[in-house]
Amino acid sequence: MSKIKKTSTNYANKLALTEECPEVYAANIIGGQWTLGICCYLLNGKLRFGELRKKLPTITERMLTLQLRKLEENKIVKRTVYAEVPPRVEYELTAIGYALKPVIKELEKWGEEHQKI
């Protein structure tokens, strides 16, 4: 919702819908190609930033950073920094993030069926 001015009617409508409809709330958190892609890869376990970059070769470093921050703010992803030289940072799904697995699998199934149409 950050792209919409907070004083606009559109923002107020979107905020109201998000508060009234849990499905819209959830879609705002996990919606978008990058967010779902990151979650899909993290379902298989912890990954470092560079590993995620390799799995999503068309994402920019800035976009990956922004998406990981958003996921971390929403408690979907946990970021762990290890006190090593050079520093090592790993990303993994939280318990609430892993709870998305059945949703992601259903989206995968639906996507495969829809692509055939």
Side-chain angles (χ1 to χ4, degrees):
M1 282 194 275
S2 61
K3 292 181 183 177
I4 302 171
K5 289 185 181 181
K6 292 186 178 186
T7 56
S8 73
T9 304
N10 190 15
Y11 177 81
N13 290 341
K14 191 167 186 177
L15 187 61
L17 184 58
T18 298
E19 290 172 356
E20 293 171 17
C21 185
E23 297 88 348
V24 173
Y25 172 81
N28 283 332
I29 292 175
I30 64 166
Q33 64 183 6
W34 300 124
T35 304
L36 273 175
I38 291 165
C39 290
C40 286
Y41 287 118
L42 290 178
L43 280 174
N44 297 318
K46 298 177 186 178
L47 289 172
R48 294 174 73 170
F49 186 90
E51 294 170 323
L52 279 166
R53 264 293 263 136
K54 286 179 186 171
K55 293 182 179 295
L56 299 162
T58 58
I59 194 171
T60 64
E61 285 189 23
R62 183 178 189 292
M63 182 56 72
L64 180 55
T65 299
L66 292 172
Q67 294 300 309
L68 287 167
R69 283 182 189 159
K70 177 186 166 194
L71 287 165
E72 192 176 2
E73 285 174 19
N74 286 303
K75 311 285 191 256
I76 305 296
V77 168
K78 177 184 167 196
R79 178 180 186 258
T80 305
V81 181
Y82 296 92
E84 299 175 357
V85 177
R88 178 170 53 109
V89 179
E90 290 181 337
Y91 296 90
E92 64 183 310
L93 291 175
T94 61
I96 196 75
Y98 274 110
L100 286 169
K101 187 174 184 173
V103 174
I104 291 171
K105 291 300 177 187
E106 282 300 312
L107 283 170
E108 176 185 28
K109 188 172 129 185
W110 183 88
E112 288 172 349
E113 290 173 11
H114 192 270
Q115 282 178 331
K116 294 174 188 173
I117 298 174

